[in-house]
Amino acid sequence: MKKCILLLFIFLHCADLFSQTGNTGSIRGLVLDKQSQFPIYGATVTVVGTTPVLGAMSDENGRFRIENVPVGRINVEVKLTGYDPSFYSNLLLNSGKDLELNVFLTESVNQLAAVEIVGNDNKAETINKMASVSSRSFSIDEAMRYSGTLQDPARMAQNYAGVSNASDDRNDIIIRGNSPTGVLWRMEGIDIPSPNHFATVGTTGGPISILNINNLANSDFATSAFSADYGNALSGVFDLRLRSGNQDKREYMAQMGFNGLEFGAEGPFKKGGSATYVVNGRYSFLDIANSLGVNFGTGNAIPEYQDLTFKVDLPTKKAGKFSFFGMGGSSFIDFRGEDSEENNLYSNNRENQQFTSTTGVVGMSHTFFFNEKTQGKAVFGVSTGGTEGFTDTLDVNGNAYRYFGIYQRQNKMSGHYYLNSKRNARNTIKGGVMYDHFFFDIEDSLLYAGNRYFKQSDFEGDAGLLQGYLLWQNRPADKVTINSGIHLQHFLLNNSTSVEPRVGARYAVKPGHSLNVGFGLHSQLQPIPTYFSREELNDGTVVANNKSLDFNRSAHAVIGYDIQLSEFLRVKSEVYYQYLYGIAVDRQPSDFSMLNTGADFTFPNNANLVNDGTGYNYGVELTVERFLDKGFYFLLTTSVFQSKYEGSDGVERNTAFNGNYVVNLLAGKEFKITDNSVLTLDTKLTYAGGRRFTPIDLEASRAAGEQVLISDQAFQEQYPAYARWDFKVGYRVNHKKFAQSFAFDVRNVTNRQNIFLESYNNRTRDIETTYQIGLFPVFLYTVYF
């Protein structure tokens, strides 16, 4: 591996020596009014620091294009009288691919003072204009730069304050002590199932992301008190946007790495036309390597997966803009007990497991402006998410017998329509309605008492979730923005209803200083399989009482202070409190709570639940961030928090996700080797509280022949602190008509053994320890042309 990396670096450097100097690229994009989303005509877009000055003016469609711009990091300024100017620093321009820059300008409330305002370079500002607090945007450039992210938005979000990972093998994220199931995934305006390979119905994470970073536009991530246009979530929101294809020319990319072998294409359907496409497909690299006789240490358990992401834009002159989009993937893996190593995160040598999953979303949207201030948008989509698999237990002689089988499928039809009206510079109103109709087919079977099978779930049917919202943004002055709204939800399966008022505000105390506050009520459905769980009691009675379960609910309160110390240095702090109520817990006294589930492939089969549980999370967060400038950047985030819950036994305990603290330090440096090449270094250090666990009663486990937990001590113990160091080195070269880059990303450089869990092994009649992933190298080669 080391020789291959060295040879590739030599190849890229030699290619750079023979490349021409003075390579250039192009910038294209849109200039839009942030409140109305209407294209802005006549905005001046300038590349700062060029001689002669390079720039362009946005046309009647808001489009602009600047050509013959020297490649590398560039700064862009956008101005128009009557609007606050915007400044974008250190954007990456390559020779093989146009730089797409979509600009959102805010109309100045005080028109007379508009020309006095200095351009803002707040890279963390959200795309959603209604966000007030605990939200930020993330860029594709960041996802490409940060070490340890595997080009995965969920793993990248783990760098932010208040966010941590549940385990190294999956990308589930814990936000402020909440279960990973509290996260909402939205794409192009509709809510989607978990966008991950090997995902299961009801979960939000998985081992490998289906999301293709090469297809994503800049998107938003919220961690608390999110605005009223988001529903059915308790902890956080990923609001994903797919980028549009290049309208001016066709471009291609190829990529090879540990994540897969990928090819992408984009451009206009015909030269000079306005209709565009962008499509990327990926196939498991490990599967390809295995077919060629090369094994990377996975044995016979080769993860097979493939995915495809696309978007087609069809603008018209009078009927608005039509878009078609889609994302889908399938995955398969077969674990054989005889091939498994001891203490493997995914399998063990006492079981055979086979697992198949499919996830897909296709949709269309129509955007229409009734006038320059009022926009309507309709989005329709269908999605599917499902799993099928089994587990065979191996006896001491290696003989297999079926222990568990599962088939779960959730199909969904979704619709979302909203109207957005900018009444004037001070007031914007947005209202919408969403409807999701679910079709369920859920069935599983578990070997019970060693001699018969019992169906824990057995249901086929449908149900609907209706949501509506109304928001009002009021800007009484340039320094004050107030976002208020209400969200309503109604679940047709059992007629549960939730009414959720929300409000947020931002006050610019003085230049570079802002105070942000937010409060809101939020609710979420139970994980879908939970509604249809069946359980057999000791007396043989079968209970299935979950279908009437209400929403899990919470109240969020956040206050934050943001200081822009300089153009590139920002300090942000937040204090929050979240109260959770109406949480699903056992009807009979026990320690169980739905707040502790969601960080695995399946959910507990508790079938006699009621909404009587409670919980709370509170904490303080600090972010110190230096945006990329002069080749250097860093991000320091610190979170100290408490996360507690009460089950039906009335005892207050730590939640499973109460790590108490998380500290992340990420830093990177870009070194300009020649006019055409750059060496990049990035590193990340994470130190966090260990996972909570329930201790094992060893003597009782030996007597029972299976693991027995000390339930009255649920989640009261904690593994040693989690620590990990990641390091990434990259090299990119620009040529006249194409660009190429290489990166080598090493996760857990020190090969530290972080404990994942302890479990009882009935073969050894002792407790064994399973560790998180150790040293894990990942390579990536990309070419744009």
Side-chain angles (χ1 to χ4, degrees):
M1 179 67 75
K2 292 181 180 179
K3 292 181 179 179
C4 293
I5 296 169
L6 181 60
L7 288 173
L8 190 51
F9 266 116
I10 293 174
F11 167 75
L12 289 173
H13 187 61
C14 290
D16 175 43
L17 294 177
F18 288 98
S19 65
Q20 298 181 1
T21 59
N23 291 321
T24 62
S26 300
I27 309 171
R28 62 180 175 87
L30 290 168
V31 182
L32 305 174
D33 184 292
K34 185 168 185 178
Q35 275 66 40
S36 71
Q37 306 292 299
F38 193 78
I40 292 178
Y41 170 75
T44 302
V45 185
T46 306
V47 182
V48 179
T50 55
T51 305
V53 175
L54 298 174
M57 183 176 291
S58 60
D59 63 17
E60 66 275 10
N61 296 314
R63 296 183 64 230
F64 68 89
R65 183 175 181 85
I66 308 174
E67 298 183 332
N68 299 317
V69 181
V71 297
R73 295 288 177 181
I74 61 170
N75 301 324
V76 176
E77 188 172 35
V78 185
K79 289 184 176 181
L80 180 66
T81 301
Y83 284 84
D84 299 345
S86 285
F87 187 79
Y88 299 85
S89 63
N90 290 288
L91 303 174
L92 179 60
L93 176 64
N94 291 315
S95 56
K97 184 176 181 61
D98 286 358
L99 170 63
E100 181 181 10
L101 176 61
N102 293 324
V103 179
F104 298 91
L105 294 181
T106 300
E107 186 177 359
S108 177
V109 172
N110 186 354
Q111 296 289 338
L112 294 177
V115 295
E116 305 296 332
I117 299 173
V118 178
N120 181 28
D121 188 29
N122 187 0
K123 297 179 184 297
E125 185 178 354
T126 58
I127 297 168
N128 186 342
K129 59 183 176 294
M130 299 294 184
S132 303
V133 69
S134 299
S135 301
R136 67 170 292 159
S137 66
F138 60 89
S139 71
I140 307 313
D141 182 34
E142 291 173 328
M144 299 290 285
R145 277 191 279 127
Y146 290 177
S147 57
T149 64
L150 303 180
Q151 294 190 320
D152 180 350
R155 287 186 165 94
M156 186 188 73
Q158 293 169 15
N159 294 289
Y160 301 147
V163 183
S164 59
N165 69 321
S167 65
D168 289 346
D169 65 316
R170 293 170 56 91
N171 62 7
D172 303 274
I173 60 172
I174 299 166
I175 299 176
R176 296 176 170 176
N178 284 282
S179 163
T181 58
V183 175
L184 170 71
W185 288 97
R186 177 172 291 182
M187 175 180 285
E188 291 291 298
I190 59 173
D191 300 345
I192 63 173
S194 173
N196 294 283
H197 289 293
F198 305 103
T200 53
V201 174
T203 62
T204 60
I208 302 169
S209 179
I210 294 176
L211 295 172
N212 194 313
I213 206 73
N214 294 301
N215 280 73
L216 291 179
N218 288 359
S219 301
D220 287 344
F221 176 60
T223 58
S224 183
F226 26 91
S227 56
D229 43 351
Y230 302 117
N232 197 28
L234 289 184
S235 64
V237 176
F238 278 99
D239 191 353
L240 305 173
R241 294 165 176 84
L242 298 176
R243 66 181 185 86
S244 299
N246 195 328
Q247 198 176 65
D248 302 312
K249 66 177 183 178
R250 292 188 174 93
E251 296 176 328
Y252 306 93
M253 63 85 63
Q255 186 168 274
M256 181 178 68
F258 201 85
N259 281 349
L261 185 65
E262 178 181 340
F263 181 78
E266 65 177 285
F269 282 97
K270 65 177 182 179
K271 189 174 181 179
S274 57
T276 64
Y277 67 90
V278 55
V279 58
N280 284 70
R282 180 173 58 181
Y283 193 87
S284 167
F285 174 77
L286 291 178
D287 192 25
I288 296 174
N290 183 68
S291 64
L292 298 175
V294 180
N295 191 289
F296 283 85
T298 61
N300 293 324
I302 306 297
E304 303 173 21
Y305 58 87
Q306 53 192 328
D307 52 61
L308 181 76
T309 308
F310 72 90
K311 185 178 182 183
V312 174
D313 288 309
L314 304 174
T316 66
K317 291 184 178 180
K318 295 184 178 181
K321 176 183 175 182
F322 294 87
S323 296
F324 299 85
F325 60 92
M327 173 204 71
S330 62
S331 47
F332 170 82
I333 195 164
D334 187 10
F335 292 108
R336 311 302 297 179
E338 60 269 23
D339 299 325
S340 299
E341 297 179 358
E342 289 285 348
N343 307 334
N344 187 289
L345 266 70
Y346 294 104
S347 66
N348 59 63
N349 58 12
R350 304 184 300 278
E351 295 177 341
N352 292 337
Q353 298 182 55
Q354 192 177 99
F355 189 82
T356 301
S357 75
T358 54
T359 299
V361 181
V362 292
M364 66 166 291
S365 65
H366 176 231
T367 304
F368 182 79
F369 283 93
F370 297 93
N371 52 55
E372 65 180 27
K373 292 183 178 295
T374 303
Q375 172 203 46
K377 184 172 183 178
V379 188
F380 301 96
V382 294
S383 63
T384 183
T387 59
E388 185 174 0
F390 63 80
T391 299
D392 288 347
T393 298
L394 305 178
D395 62 21
V396 293
N397 298 317
N399 299 314
Y401 59 91
R402 186 61 44 88
Y403 175 74
F404 178 71
I406 186 172
Y407 176 84
Q408 294 183 343
R409 172 67 51 190
Q410 176 186 295
N411 300 323
K412 185 174 67 168
M413 295 190 302
S414 302
H416 182 189
Y417 183 79
Y418 70 81
L419 282 172
N420 184 85
S421 182
K422 177 183 175 182
R423 310 311 299 167
N424 49 51
R426 297 179 185 274
N427 296 283
T428 300
I429 298 173
K430 181 181 179 181
V433 61
M434 295 180 284
Y435 182 71
D436 294 309
H437 198 87
F438 302 87
F439 299 89
F440 312 114
D441 189 358
I442 298 175
E443 182 179 0
D444 60 33
S445 182
L446 176 70
L447 185 63
Y448 189 79
N451 56 14
R452 62 187 178 89
Y453 291 93
F454 176 73
K455 290 187 176 182
Q456 300 179 114
S457 298
D458 187 9
F459 179 82
E460 185 173 356
D462 65 305
L465 176 65
L466 178 64
Q467 302 179 72
Y469 60 88
L470 182 65
L471 300 101
W472 173 35
Q473 181 179 86
N474 177 244
R475 301 171 64 219
D478 272 329
K479 293 184 177 182
V480 181
T481 301
I482 302 171
N483 296 309
S484 57
I486 188 168
H487 188 99
L488 298 94
Q489 297 194 116
H490 182 74
F491 189 37
L492 275 66
L493 180 70
N494 55 26
N495 290 318
S496 299
T497 300
S498 180
V499 180
E500 305 160 10
R502 303 174 192 175
V503 63
R506 180 180 185 272
Y507 173 59
V509 180
K510 58 183 179 179
H513 291 242
S514 65
L515 177 68
N516 310 280
V517 296
F519 172 81
L521 300 182
H522 304 263
S523 66
Q524 186 179 36
L525 294 173
Q526 308 298 330
I528 292 301
T530 300
Y531 288 101
F532 312 112
S533 293
R534 302 167 73 245
E535 184 179 4
E536 185 172 0
L537 304 181
N538 293 333
D539 61 2
T541 304
V542 176
V543 295
N545 296 327
N546 291 350
K547 193 175 288 188
S548 61
L549 282 172
D550 200 346
F551 295 96
N552 291 326
R553 302 170 187 266
S554 71
H556 293 201
V558 188
I559 183 169
Y561 200 82
D562 204 329
I563 305 174
Q564 198 78 27
L565 293 176
S566 68
E567 185 178 355
F568 299 101
L569 185 61
R570 174 196 189 205
V571 177
K572 179 182 179 181
S573 60
E574 286 192 347
V575 179
Y576 65 88
Y577 181 84
Q578 179 187 12
Y579 177 67
L580 299 115
Y581 59 100
I583 306 301
V585 295
D586 278 332
R587 187 178 301 272
Q588 302 300 320
S590 81
D591 62 279
F592 174 81
S593 172
M594 196 60 70
L595 296 179
N596 298 316
T597 66
D600 206 343
F601 293 96
T602 59
F603 290 93
N605 189 50
N606 300 59
N608 197 16
L609 301 178
V610 292
N611 292 98
D612 290 341
T614 60
Y616 61 86
N617 304 310
Y618 64 84
V620 59
E621 299 168 356
L622 176 68
T623 298
V624 181
E625 183 170 14
R626 175 191 165 98
F627 300 114
L628 179 64
D629 179 47
K630 298 179 181 178
F632 177 66
Y633 59 91
F634 70 80
L635 174 64
L636 171 66
T637 60
T638 303
S639 307
V640 180
F641 62 96
Q642 193 69 262
S643 179
K644 300 282 190 176
Y645 82 99
E646 282 189 15
S648 55
D649 59 3
V651 178
E652 183 177 283
R653 298 181 174 90
N654 295 300
T655 69
F657 309 108
N658 189 19
N660 295 127
Y661 62 91
V662 182
V663 180
N664 290 302
L665 174 61
L666 182 145
K669 175 70 177 175
E670 296 186 346
F671 300 90
K672 187 176 181 181
I673 307 301
T674 69
D675 288 341
N676 299 313
S677 61
V678 174
L679 175 69
T680 64
L681 301 177
D682 185 276
T683 189
K684 175 188 174 184
L685 295 170
T686 298
Y687 190 76
R691 290 167 58 99
R692 292 280 175 179
F693 69 98
T694 303
I696 298 170
D697 189 327
L698 182 58
E699 294 305 318
S701 299
R702 288 169 174 169
E706 62 182 6
Q707 180 169 284
V708 177
L709 300 178
I710 307 175
S711 59
D712 60 357
Q713 297 181 29
F715 307 113
Q716 299 312 295
E717 301 293 332
Q718 189 172 20
Y719 296 130
Y722 175 97
R724 197 178 91 194
W725 174 32
D726 300 333
F727 182 78
K728 183 177 183 179
V729 58
Y731 195 76
R732 62 175 184 264
V733 182
N734 283 290
H735 305 268
K736 185 176 182 180
K737 294 186 176 181
F738 72 98
Q740 55 185 330
S741 65
F742 170 79
F744 186 65
D745 191 356
V746 182
R747 305 178 75 204
N748 198 357
V749 174
T750 62
N751 198 32
R752 176 183 168 91
Q753 289 189 311
N754 293 300
I755 296 179
F756 177 66
L757 64 84
E758 293 178 341
S759 59
Y760 176 72
N761 186 335
N762 196 40
R763 286 187 177 183
T764 62
R765 296 177 60 79
D766 206 349
I767 296 174
E768 64 181 22
T769 302
T770 301
Y771 295 96
Q772 305 265 24
I773 294 175
L775 179 73
F776 188 68
V778 178
F779 66 91
L780 183 70
Y781 173 74
T782 308
V783 58
Y784 299 100
F785 56 99

